[in-house]
Amino acid sequence: MTGPRGVQHEGRSTAFPADKIVRAQCVLHPGEDVRAAYEQLVTEMGISGAEVIREALRVLHERETRRKARAARKQAMEAMPQAG
């Protein structure tokens, strides 16, 4: 039986050997909102489905990087002693 959707499985999801290919798989079932978005992007952008997923990963990574940077700045500001 599979685990809950979106949960990272230790040992399988945390080890990425640098010299091995990573094959990310995602099944999009009929009726899922993300499937409609995927189909629309592939059609309108005229690129492959794999490239749509690559671009989504880039955008998600950039967003998460910015979120972490904001959180670190906020934490640093809160840690600074109040002036005057």
Side-chain angles (χ1 to χ4, degrees):
M1 182 171 181
T2 61
R5 173 184 258 165
V7 175
Q8 191 177 56
H9 299 280
E10 190 174 332
R12 295 183 68 187
S13 299
T14 58
F16 300 103
D19 61 336
K20 303 280 185 182
I21 294 174
V22 174
R23 183 179 305 272
Q25 295 181 341
C26 178
V27 177
L28 304 174
H29 296 281
E32 283 189 80
D33 56 344
V34 291
R35 179 177 170 150
Y38 172 81
E39 291 174 358
Q40 182 180 3
L41 288 168
V42 169
T43 303
E44 290 179 359
M45 295 177 76
I47 58 177
S48 70
E51 196 57 36
V52 166
I53 293 170
R54 281 186 186 95
E55 181 63 21
L57 287 169
R58 281 185 208 103
V59 170
L60 183 60
H61 183 262
E62 289 171 8
R63 186 176 77 188
E64 184 64 11
T65 301
R66 285 192 304 268
R67 184 195 66 77
K68 286 179 181 177
R70 277 193 309 272
R73 281 193 306 270
K74 182 178 179 183
Q75 186 177 12
M77 292 297 288
E78 290 172 353
M80 288 176 58
Q82 296 292 332

